[in-house]
Amino acid sequence: MFAALARLTTARPRLLLLGALLLLIGAALLGRGVGDRLLGGGAQDPASSSARAAAALDRDFPGSRPNLVLLVGADQPLDAPAIAAQAKELTDRLAAEPDVKGVVSYWTTGAPTLRTDDGRHALVLAHIEGEDTAASDAFERMAPQYRGERGNLDVEVGGSVAVRHDMQATISEDLVRAELIALPITLLILILVFGSLVAALLPLGVGILAMVGTNAVLRAVSSVTDVSVFAQNLTTVLGLGLAVDYGLFVVRRYREELAAGAPPTRAVATMLNTAGRTVVFSALTLAVSLAAMLVFPQYFLRSFAYAGIPVVLLAAFGALVVLPAALVLLGHRVDKGDLRGPLRRLGAKLRPGRTRPTDDLAAGATDDPAAADAGNWYRLTGAVMRRAPLVAVLTTGVLVALGLPFLGVQFGSADDRQLPKSAESRQVQQVIRDHVDGRPTGSIEIVVRTGQQPDTTADYSARLSALDGVARVVGPGGTFERGARTAPAGPAETGRRAAGSAYISVVPAIEDLSAAGQDLVHDVRAVPAPGPALIGGSAAELVDSKHAIGSRLWLAGGLILLTTFVLVFLLTGSVVLPILAIVFAALSLTAMFGAVVWVVQDGHLSGLLDFTATGSIETALPVLMFCIAFGLSMDYGVFLISRVKEEHDRTGDHRGAVATGLARTGGIITAAACVLAVVMAAIGTSRVTNTMMLGGGLALAVLVDAFVVRSLLAPAILALVGKATWWAPGPLRRFHDRFGFAEGGPAAATAGAPAADDEPEPLDRTPATTG
């Protein structure tokens, strides 16, 4: 396969680049406006009781679930005749909107629960019909007509539909800013690493292809299923990050072959048969980690598989097809714009006897063992292996200690406090949270199937109202508090019967998404109902979401671990290395999970980072962060393991293979990690807390993996395990000999490649100095 790929990229490089350009243009046209089609929800299990309750309410009791709130203030008392008249006119105008149902207000009902306890504001509640996209579009059209000063009224717009709209808009704006931050810094780091402007631009080109292509895929997927707006963040992170990872590995190996005297086509063929194999295994490992999110029913998690799998495959395609074609045409011009040559020449004059270290990757490494021995990474690895027990114990202990805060994790659901304090929808929800008796938009909603019998829900409502944490219960039988009826059924309550079903609202006296609010859902579900009952509402959705994730977590984890083990075994032929690779990847995540709890949940650094801690973590985010970070860690692990395996196959010296392998990849891994951390940190500057947590947490995980796990822990453990690292049972060894994959040497790499004198003419045959 790799010989055929070498023939393709070396024989028709211009045609391949033209095809890639046409693909990029087509993807850019197809992916236009993708952000407008993505949704801000997706945390619910569509098959859960809460989701079915929501569907039943929308079908049988239209407008029963308010998702739009108008917070109305006035320059006079709220009950003043002029204010009441204007407020009723506002309510009637909202009720006349074509997409709006179930409009109620303080002025039409007189309900004290629709007025703040300080008497400064009152509420108008409504439900905008349609799925998330349609409701958001309707909100965007209507909101400007109601927001602001209206006569003597001052109106602010909130509700769940407003929160979703503000979150989507904020994320889109932050994503543009993150790209503007990340791209120039990434280019600067690549220039410092490669020393050549041309070589530095090549991975960026692959990244642009991956990001634009993935946006086109998301645009297509969003036409057939729901896709979360957060998926765009992953497109940016992985598009740039993987392009740099793969680009560094590919270009570095190509320049290494050029420095050894190979012509460009042969250098590309050797690169594809060595580094190319590693890129394939790395991409497969990461794609499998991301594909594991497809086992969950929530489209929030599934969306990251929709975005992650194509961006990984496109980055690998760019690195293995487009990039080699460009390298063939560039020839030695890949070193054009050598910005570090003057510095190297100055250093040579000042210290003429010094041997160039192996981690001077930009200049094109050499295979001279003396140069490898002199490298900084080689010396670091040697020092680590000489003190392997101490280094292994210390690094493992520190990583485990950093993860201890995660033992106190509390899972919750994202709400308006994810948004910056300046967001209008958050300000509205904060007033309701602080000054409204009960949570009129956070009720536990119950649909009871009663058939055509007379109302049998009164006793059920009374028992529900006696539960701890319940402010009141409103149903067809009236309003109940503390086990007794406090108000008879009026027209609004009798309207809670339709199509053989009864609709009951349990208004909590506590924060609906808190741990106590979730316990209340379990208590409500434990009360016997007079018929089949569906329990919904925001708190019930959170409980069901946690159950959906928890019940499938073993399947996702098992899929990731099993496929990772198989892929690393096929690459190495060892059953020990896959286990070590999984352990290394797991340890690299401890600091990330500990920091997430210590910072985001517990609120440390909340003032510095300008966010509001809610005492919990979004339920789905740790799963998402694990899949991404584990895959990226395995990405770096495959880079290291493949080069160690190549050196071990060549020399048979285990300790020398570890030292040389790390010397050859240490600079690549750390440079790639720095670039990826920059991209993730740029994402982490988002004003939405979950996006900040995602970007910042992943940046920390990548840096820990590169600078602690790969640089210190991995060589220490490999030194301790020794030659047993390469052990496999006889049957599995024979299986690998027949079906496994191995890095190819130069002889294998050149099979099927054009002869040197048959090469396509490079853009410039002028040899470049490689240092």
Side-chain angles (χ1 to χ4, degrees), residues 194-558:
F194 282 120
S196 162
L197 181 62
V198 172
L201 288 173
L202 292 175
L204 281 184
V206 174
I208 291 172
L209 174 64
M211 290 189 294
V212 173
T214 302
N215 280 336
V217 172
L218 289 179
R219 177 67 171 77
V221 172
S222 66
S223 64
V224 296
T225 188
D226 294 333
V227 180
S228 171
V229 67
F230 286 93
Q232 278 193 302
N233 294 321
L234 186 64
T235 300
T236 298
V237 167
L238 290 186
L240 278 178
L242 292 179
V244 170
D245 280 5
Y246 300 159
L248 278 170
F249 206 63
V250 165
V251 174
R252 186 262 184 182
R253 189 58 185 257
Y254 171 76
R255 299 172 84 188
E256 184 176 327
E257 296 301 322
L258 285 184
T265 53
R266 186 166 298 177
V268 165
T270 303
M271 175 271 293
L272 286 172
N273 206 49
T274 52
R277 292 175 184 269
T278 302
V279 169
V280 169
F281 273 89
S282 171
L284 288 176
T285 303
L286 182 53
V288 166
S289 293
L290 296 170
M293 286 183 283
L294 291 173
V295 308
F296 298 104
Q298 296 94 330
Y299 78 76
F300 172 81
L301 285 174
R302 298 172 68 91
S303 296
F304 289 94
Y306 301 152
I309 294 173
V311 80
V312 170
L313 297 181
L314 284 169
F317 169 80
L320 298 177
V321 178
V322 180
L323 191 52
L327 291 173
V328 169
L329 291 179
L330 285 170
H332 290 280
R333 282 179 63 98
V334 71
D335 292 314
K336 187 72 173 177
D338 188 358
L339 304 177
R340 299 196 310 183
L343 294 178
R344 285 198 301 272
R345 288 191 290 271
L346 177 62
K349 291 179 179 179
L350 294 177
R351 291 177 290 179
R354 181 177 177 181
T355 304
R356 186 192 60 198
T358 60
D359 62 341
D360 193 357
L361 302 178
T366 177
D367 284 329
D368 181 7
D373 288 342
N376 293 331
W377 285 102
Y378 194 95
R379 291 194 294 272
L380 172 64
T381 306
V384 168
M385 290 194 293
R386 286 193 297 272
R387 301 167 180 81
L390 177 63
V391 174
V393 170
L394 286 179
T395 53
T396 302
V398 170
L399 291 173
V400 170
L402 290 175
L404 290 178
F406 193 72
L407 297 177
V409 65
Q410 296 292 327
F411 294 111
S413 182
D415 60 17
D416 58 280
R417 288 170 290 183
Q418 291 282 313
L419 291 166
K421 295 177 182 178
S422 59
E424 181 186 38
S425 58
R426 173 176 175 172
Q427 294 173 355
V428 170
Q429 294 301 117
Q430 192 63 46
V431 170
I432 295 173
R433 189 180 295 112
D434 295 340
H435 298 291
V436 175
D437 179 25
R439 295 293 304 278
T441 59
S443 301
I444 298 174
E445 300 155 339
I446 306 173
V447 179
V448 182
R449 193 72 182 169
T450 59
Q452 301 304 319
Q453 306 173 14
D455 181 52
T456 57
T457 63
D459 179 64
Y460 179 53
S461 298
R463 284 182 282 123
L464 290 173
S465 70
L467 295 174
D468 291 338
V470 174
R472 60 187 175 279
V473 175
V474 181
T479 301
F480 297 80
E481 297 180 17
R482 298 183 179 85
R485 192 196 313 261
T486 57
E493 286 74 25
T494 56
R496 288 173 171 257
R497 287 184 56 85
S501 298
Y503 164 41
I504 299 171
S505 297
V506 178
V507 181
I510 53 180
E511 180 70 30
D512 55 332
L513 298 179
S514 64
Q518 296 172 57
D519 291 339
L520 180 59
V521 172
H522 293 295
D523 293 341
V524 167
R525 288 177 169 171
V527 175
L534 297 173
I535 314 296
S538 55
E541 290 171 353
L542 172 58
V543 170
D544 291 342
S545 178
K546 291 170 64 175
H547 176 265
I549 291 174
S551 63
R552 293 167 175 83
L553 201 57
W554 68 271
L555 179 59

Side-chain angles (χ1 to χ4, degrees), residues 14-27:
R14 290 181 176 85
L15 184 61
L16 283 176
L17 291 179
L18 177 61
L21 178 61
L22 294 176
L23 175 65
L24 181 64
I25 294 172

